[in-house]
Amino acid sequence: MPMKPMPDFSALSLSEIARFEQEQRLPPVDQWHPDHCGDSEMRIAADGTWYHQGSPIGRPEMVRLFSTILRREEDGSHVLVTPAEKLSIAVDDAPFLAVTLNSEGSGAERRLAFRLNTGEPVTANADHAIRMRGTAEEPRPYLHVRRGLEALIARPVFYELAHIAMHEADKGNGPIGLWSCGHFFPLEPGR
């Protein structure tokens, strides 16, 4: 059965994106515990490109399908899991890339929604936190997607976030960051 096509998020309000996000039904990979069966011979590069046996997977629908059965193990490794098998998959950085941003509201009333390279929407909130790693010179922003899986926030999207944060910053009072769905997310590494 083919997957439903993803909507054009640029044409949707954040309420519509949130509704779409809630309607998504992902497989219950956290409930599947088959024995490890081997290596998928797949890798997710730091730029979000998925590879199989060294060649990029050119069909976005396949990448999207595989992303729904991706799970992060307690030891930090990643696997593709079904009720019958569990296969290792190499992940260079984060398995997803946040490629677009929708922002609505301002200050503590702001809501931030991201579109991942797989087309999946994720709204920053208590369950989907924005975290900073790296240094002040080389910040690395991440968005929690689900069950320990993260998305690296693409550099242009991070610049959008930084621009909004700087515009709203309290001159010298507290960390620079953004609110989304009632939660404050500092945009400075180490905070």
Side-chain angles (χ1 to χ4, degrees):
M1 174 163 69
M3 294 187 79
K4 249 172 82 172
M6 295 299 243
D8 176 10
F9 290 107
S10 64
L12 299 178
S13 72
L14 288 190
S15 296
E16 292 168 322
I17 291 172
R19 192 169 35 259
F20 181 84
E21 196 174 352
Q22 288 177 340
E23 291 171 359
Q24 292 299 297
R25 301 285 182 247
L26 294 171
V29 297
D30 54 326
Q31 297 173 20
W32 296 338
H33 301 287
D35 291 333
H36 188 267
C37 298
D39 188 348
S40 67
E41 298 183 40
M42 294 175 67
R43 177 175 74 90
I44 305 172
D47 69 357
T49 303
W50 288 56
Y51 291 88
H52 181 253
Q53 296 180 334
S55 297
I57 299 175
R59 293 183 52 207
E61 298 84 8
M62 289 298 295
V63 168
R64 193 167 139 227
L65 178 63
F66 284 129
S67 77
T68 66
I69 59 168
L70 182 65
R71 181 173 78 197
R72 186 168 188 175
E73 300 288 81
E74 287 183 23
D75 66 4
S77 65
H78 294 83
V79 295
L80 297 173
V81 64
T82 68
E85 64 183 350
K86 178 167 63 170
L87 302 172
S88 301
I89 180 171
V91 178
D92 291 355
D93 187 355
F96 301 105
L97 192 63
V99 294
T100 64
L101 169 69
N102 288 36
S103 175
E104 198 172 270
S106 63
E109 302 302 313
R110 182 177 301 285
R111 291 189 308 165
L112 301 168
F114 298 84
R115 184 178 54 82
L116 306 183
N117 57 320
T118 58
E120 184 178 344
V122 179
T123 301
N125 58 34
D127 295 327
H128 304 284
I130 298 170
R131 292 188 177 89
M132 296 299 297
R133 295 193 193 122
T135 64
E137 294 78 30
E138 292 186 37
R140 306 251 333 141
Y142 293 87
L143 174 68
H144 182 258
V145 176
R146 63 179 173 271
R147 297 182 294 264
L149 298 173
E150 293 182 313
L152 174 65
I153 297 175
R155 186 68 51 189
V157 176
F158 178 57
Y159 289 155
E160 284 182 70
L161 291 173
H163 177 76
I164 295 167
M166 294 300 288
H167 180 55
E168 289 189 353
D170 292 334
K171 312 291 187 258
N173 296 333
I176 295 174
L178 287 170
W179 289 88
S180 183
C181 297
H183 296 276
F184 185 77
F185 301 106
L187 294 184
E188 299 173 86
R191 294 237 180 205

